[in-house]
Every structure is written in structure tokens, then in C-alpha cells.
Amino acid sequence: MVSPPSRSRAEPATLPATAWAVLGMLSFEVEPTGYEIRKWSEHILRFFYWSPAMSQIYAELKRLEKAGYATSRPDVAADGRPRRVYAITSEGREALAAWASGAPVGPPVLKHGPALRVWLGHLAGPETLRRVVTEQRERAERLAEEAERSRRDAVAGTGWAHAELVARWAVRYHRAERDLADRMLADLDELAARRPPG
Amino acid sequence: MVSPPSRSRAEPATLPATAWAVLGMLSFEVEPTGYEIRKWSEHILRFFYWSPAMSQIYAELKRLEKAGYATSRPDVAADGRPRRVYAITSEGREALAAWASGAPVGPPVLKHGPALRVWLGHLAGPETLRRVVTEQRERAERLAEEAERSRRDAVAGTGWAHAELVARWAVRYHRAERDLADRMLADLDELAARRPPG
DNA sequence: CGTTGCATGTAAGGTGTTACATGATTAC
DNA sequence: GTAATCATGTAACACCTTACATGCAACG
């Protein structure tokens, strides 16, 4: 006779990483609205983990409330407009801590559109490829700069040491992406030289 | 009176990138089974664009056939077992070429689980973080080696110049990920030294 | 005779997006 | 006035995964 599976404190509900990310935002000492969570994720999360859609945020908040990991209360903004603010519960904090230190970490998910295009390069003329990779180079450069700005904001806050660490990682990541694009451009040029047009 | 939207040669059906990736596999001079497509995507696609599930492959093949971009015919394997092989049609080749040279390329999608964990580092003891990042370091190293093997296979084939280019990119990408993990480990150590335990 | 590989699918469900709907306040 | 920002949701749909179902061939 095996004891039936029960969800005790040691076994938090299995939620998608997005839910934990949202709950994680509540674990910083603030009481944000769904809208503010979105803005925040645009500000930092997108550099290493994508930014969920507004509707997704609200859906996750609803799920977290249902699980007892978050609570919400009506509030009024500075200008008097009504809004709803969210907070993490102690159960939520416990579950999040258990997840953060216990759950297996899957491999990073990468879907690199520009690389896919180059892979199908035999169908798309060298100019197109150069354009695609150059665009990617510029995007990566832009992201690196934006991540650097985000990092500087993190330095300002106290208790944001890990946020700053990740921001630093993100800056390096997007610089690496830029460099990779540069090397790809060089390789493309070399290929074009080996196989002259016509 | 506006003329009704019609799908002519200039406007290929909008398909998800996955469909184009599968169709792209058919654009190399082979006539694979769904099963072989899957193996191939495990062999190379996963290093820069994830590998779809078997059922997803079959679903995409069905969709491509319906769109007239692929055909299939029953075949027999070397051992006599029945199977179904797929080929690209001329419409498919045209649509694929139009997509490859015309469709806008979105930003790479990245969901970096290890980075997410570090971001929530205030909830998870330094040993956990070290473990997570070390695992990531090793995974990246392994992927770089596997990508390098895949690259060598691409060199062997003729007409695979772009596949080799992307494989080279993938090797560099995963080496960069490994280096990023190393630098993250150094940063974590520095943080732990600044804030000693207790 | 059991496991692995080849081979093809269906069904159910979860994750996530876009489009839609609504309405207040602030800045131009 | 009208555009942008703040703010909250619903509905429909697309994408993709896991689990399930089936069966033959080759290898040990």
C-alpha cells in the first residue's frame, strides 16, 4: 500500500515557468498591477526570457490567485483611478522558493529565425541573406544597449543584486549575438567570393 | 470596389515557420519519410531552432500537402516495410523561395530557464545557483561539440554550403553560451564573497 | 523472446497570441 | 478634440506537447 499522492508543502503545484516568473515579480517588495507587471517584464524579462502578452499576465495572475499563491485587492492610483494590485502570499513565497531551489532546469529554448533563413540560403540570393543577418546584427546591438540601461537601473536598487547579475549576463549575451552576426556576414562574403555570381 | 484578395504566385500562404522549416528539409535533394525528417531535425535544426515533436512533423506534412506544396507517395524501405515518402512540389519550391527571400524575419525567441533562476536568486541559496549555472555550462559545452560533429557532416555533402555556415554559427553560439556561464559563475562567486554567508 | 529502431498516426490538453471590447485620465 | 497611457478583461484561435495506439523488422 503506497500512500496516495498529496500536495503538501514540500510539493508545490506544477506551474509553467511563466507563472513562476510572474510570481517572482511579486516576490520583490512591490505591489504591482497587472499592467505594471507587463511593463516590468518588458523592461528586463524580455532580455533573457520573453515578455508575455497582457492577456497572458492576467491569466497567470488568476491562476496564481486560485492556487493561493497570490492575492489581489482593489486600489486607487495617484490620480484616483481604480485599479487592482497583486501581492504574493506566504504560501506563494514558500512554493516559489521550493521551485527556485528544487525544480529541474530545462535547456534554454531558442528559435533563431535569422539562422533558419541562412540555413535555407540556397533559396534566397546572397543579398537577402546579407540583409537578414545585418538586421539581426543591428537588433542585437540595440538589445545590448537596452539591456545595459536596464542593468544600470538594477544597480540603483537595493536587494537587486541578482537582477543586476542577469542584466549583465544579458548585455554580454546580446553583444555575443552581435559578434556572431558579424562573423556570419564574413562567412557569407567568403562563400560569395568562392562562388561568384552567374 | 476593391478587387477581392486572391492568393497568387506572389502571395504564398502564411504558414508558421515550422512548416517552412519542414518544407525546407524537402528542398534538399532527398525524398524522406516523416520519421527521417524528425531525425534530421534532431541532427541539425535543434542547434538553432528546436526540434518539433513527431506528431507535429506529421501535422505539418499534412498541412503542406493540403496547400499543394508537398506530395507524398507510398514507398518500400530496403527491408521491404511500407512507408510514405514526401517531396516538394514546384509550387512548394516557389512559395518557399518567396518566403525565404521576402517574409519578414522576427527576432530570435529565447527562453533562458537558467537565467530566470538566477534572476530569482534571492530565493535560492548560492549553492543552488552554482549548480544550475554549472549544469548550463556543461550542457552548452556538449551542444557545441555535437554541433561541431553536425558541421563536419555538412562539409561532406555538396550543396550544403549554407547548412555548414549555420552549423559553424551554432558551434560558436554554444561556445559563447558556455563562456557566458563561466562568467556568470565568476560573478556569482564575487557576489558571495561580497555578501558572506550568515 | 524482449528491446530497440522504424514508421504512422489520433486525441486531449496546455500554452500563448491576436483581436476585440471598454473606459478613465493626461498631454498636446 | 484626439492621441497616448493606464487599466482590465474575454473570445477565438494557433501552436505544440504528451500520451496513447499500432505494428513490423532486426538484433541479442
Side-chain angles (χ1 to χ4, degrees), chain A residues 64-103:
Chain A
L64 290 169
E65 272 202 278
K66 206 168 150 190
Y69 292 166
T71 49
S72 69
R73 61 177 184 82
D75 186 42
V76 275
D79 58 24
R81 270 185 294 183
R83 58 189 215 156
R84 179 165 288 271
V85 291
Y86 292 83
I88 193 169
T89 64
S90 55
E91 292 99 318
R93 197 172 288 278
E94 227 175 285
L96 181 58
W99 176 81
S101 57

Side-chain angles (χ1 to χ4, degrees), chain A:
Chain A
M1 290 275 261
V2 202
S3 58
S6 69
R7 214 151 73 210
S8 62
R9 293 193 306 138
E11 307 175 49
T14 52
L15 295 173
T18 305
W20 297 116
V22 170
L23 192 56
M25 297 216 185
L26 299 180
S27 77
F28 295 91
E29 311 288 309
V30 284
E31 221 183 337
T33 65
Y35 191 87
E36 284 169 341
I37 290 173
R38 176 76 213 273
K39 296 237 344 220
W40 197 5
S41 82
E42 286 277 304
H43 186 70
I44 171 63
L45 211 57
R46 73 175 166 116
F47 297 118
F48 58 91
Y49 203 87
W50 118 115
S51 194
M54 228 21 273
S55 61
Q56 176 77 357
I57 304 264
Y58 287 120
E60 296 299 350
L61 286 170
K62 192 178 280 182
R63 167 154 42 184
L64 290 169
E65 272 202 278
K66 206 168 150 190
Y69 292 166
T71 49
S72 69
R73 61 177 184 82
D75 186 42
V76 275
D79 58 24
R81 270 185 294 183
R83 58 189 215 156
R84 179 165 288 271
V85 291
Y86 292 83
I88 193 169
T89 64
S90 55
E91 292 99 318
R93 197 172 288 278
E94 227 175 285
L96 181 58
W99 176 81
S101 57
V105 183
V109 173
L110 178 69
K111 286 189 174 188
H112 208 288
L116 182 61
R117 289 302 179 91
V118 174
W119 186 61
L120 296 174
H122 58 291
L123 294 154
E127 333 74 35
T128 303
L129 292 185
R130 270 204 73 87
R131 199 198 67 226
V132 165
V133 179
T134 303
E135 270 170 24
Q136 165 60 11
R137 198 221 107 96
E138 270 146 32
R139 175 163 37 218
E141 178 118 294
R142 205 177 335 116
L143 280 169
E145 281 160 14
E146 289 165 5
E148 170 61 19
R149 248 169 277 151
S150 176
R151 190 194 65 79
R152 277 198 285 266
D153 292 345
V155 177
T158 42
W160 299 62
H162 291 99
E164 200 237 324
L165 236 61
V166 172
R168 210 186 292 178
W169 179 92
V171 171
R172 291 174 185 146
Y173 177 91
H174 293 288
R175 285 195 187 136
E177 270 276 47
R178 178 203 57 197
D179 294 345
L180 251 31
D182 278 333
R183 298 177 76 180
M184 177 66 95
L185 283 171
D187 283 354
L188 282 171
D189 286 345
E190 204 209 330
L191 184 65
R194 277 216 314 277
R195 295 184 177 194

